[in-house]
């Protein structure tokens, strides 16, 4: 019998999804406050996804 492994945690967004989340964050910020913690988190998600996509394409 063949079993498929399930991810241990939530999956990461694709680079495109992370980029869209960054755009949404910037466009919907309130009172012109810069959400630095959220932006840094999403930027790291985008960077990880971008590296994975480049590595998969090689």
């Amino acid at each position: 019998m063949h079993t498929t492994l399930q991810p241990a945690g939530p999956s990461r967004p694709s680079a495109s999804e992370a980029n869209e989340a960054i755009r949404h964050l910037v466009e919907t910020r309130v009172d012109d406050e810069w959400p630095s913690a959220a932006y840094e988190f999403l930027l790291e998600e985008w960077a990880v996804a971008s590296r994975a996509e480049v590595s998969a394409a090689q």
Side-chain angles (χ1 to χ4, degrees), residues 21-56:
I22 291 169
R23 287 177 195 236
H24 179 74
L25 179 69
V26 171
E27 291 171 357
T28 60
R29 62 190 169 146
V30 178
D31 298 329
D32 290 328
E33 287 187 32
W34 185 247
S36 59
Y39 178 77
E40 288 177 24
F41 173 80
L42 290 171
L43 189 59
E44 179 62 27
E45 290 293 301
W46 173 83
V48 169
S50 294
R51 284 191 295 266
E53 290 176 11
V54 167
S55 293

Side-chain angles (χ1 to χ4, degrees), residues 1-19:
M1 179 176 179
H2 177 73
T3 59
T4 302
L5 296 175
Q6 296 296 320
S11 63
R12 292 199 127 153
S14 68
S16 177
E17 291 168 330
N19 190 38

